[in-house]
Amino acid sequence: MGAVTSTAPSPGSPDSSLLDLAPVIPVVVLHDAADAVPLARALVAGGLPAIEVTFRTPAAADAIRAIAEEVPEAVVGAGTVLTPEQVETAVAAGSRFLVSPGWTDRLLGALDASGLPYLPGVSTTSEVVALLERGVAEMKFFPAEAAGGTAYLKALASPLPGARFCPTGGVNASNAPEYLALPNVGCVGGTWMLPSDALAAGDWGRVESLAREAAALRG
């Protein structure tokens, strides 16, 4: 398994790391694939081009496919990827990156074989060391707040300088700047720019406004 640096093409910089596309990756749970395109357009317009659509609902694959086909300026990926079969489904749908809440050797092998950038989830030092040993340098830190938050990540920075993280889980507009200030954090994942009432009402203007605020967290 070669070194993995989670690169994913962006409109302005084809070689950018996934962690550098924007300060926040929206974590999207869609129950209706019809909402995928307007939601993605709102997030992109707000400055958040990397969009993680989670495999928590049956609509996920269709939502990813719709975004990939109709919103080319978005960098759409699949989240909550738990099995090699889901990796195959995500790739077939047009995902440009993959995210898992944790990893096993079998899942990691499938993520690597996909040819896509990926962020395997970690919550312990041993997991980080194991991934570094396998050449994986960029990871999802999950569940961020429950697993120790900014204090934990700050403690990892000196002994494990080769690891970079996207903390997700309990990250919000209030504490995101604290995470983003850490040297080993490239971006954060969150849902606060996707309030359920706005999604239910199709209030994409509100989503765009909240996305713009999130994109400005790291100037």
Side-chain angles (χ1 to χ4, degrees), residues 21-41:
L21 293 183
V24 181
I25 296 179
V27 180
V28 178
V29 180
L30 283 172
H31 296 276
D32 187 347
D35 291 333
V37 168
L39 175 61
R41 286 175 176 158

Side-chain angles (χ1 to χ4, degrees):
M1 185 176 295
V4 175
T5 55
S6 297
T7 55
S10 71
S13 179
D15 296 322
S16 291
S17 163
L18 174 62
L19 299 187
D20 297 326
L21 293 183
V24 181
I25 296 179
V27 180
V28 178
V29 180
L30 283 172
H31 296 276
D32 187 347
D35 291 333
V37 168
L39 175 61
R41 286 175 176 158
L43 291 171
V44 170
L48 301 181
I51 302 170
E52 175 188 337
V53 178
T54 68
F55 270 112
R56 300 182 194 177
T57 71
D62 287 338
I64 291 169
R65 184 175 295 106
I67 295 171
E69 293 177 353
E70 300 187 44
V71 194
E73 60 272 33
V75 179
V76 63
T80 319
V81 175
L82 302 176
T83 67
E85 292 74 22
Q86 286 182 326
V87 170
E88 292 180 3
T89 300
V91 172
S95 294
R96 293 168 66 181
F97 65 92
L98 305 167
V99 183
S100 64
W103 62 276
T104 64
D105 286 335
R106 180 169 178 262
L107 177 57
L108 195 67
L111 292 170
D112 192 63
S114 73
L116 297 179
Y118 57 88
L119 297 174
V122 297
S123 60
T124 69
T125 305
S126 294
E127 290 172 316
V128 176
V129 172
L131 286 177
L132 290 172
E133 188 177 74
R134 288 163 171 77
V136 181
E138 298 187 346
M139 314 163 195
K140 172 177 179 172
F141 179 56
F142 177 83
E145 283 290 281
T150 55
Y152 192 94
L153 287 174
K154 186 175 181 180
L156 293 183
S158 180
L160 300 171
R164 295 183 75 212
F165 301 96
C166 173
T168 307
V171 180
N172 54 49
S174 297
N175 61 20
E178 299 173 20
Y179 281 99
L180 292 169
L182 298 176
N184 55 351
V185 169
C187 65
V188 300
T191 62
W192 72 88
M193 73 298 300
L194 304 165
S196 58
D197 58 339
L199 299 188
D203 189 350
W204 311 123
R206 184 179 172 199
V207 171
E208 179 180 338
S209 178
L210 291 170
R212 186 169 291 108
E213 292 175 6
L217 286 176
R218 184 173 56 205

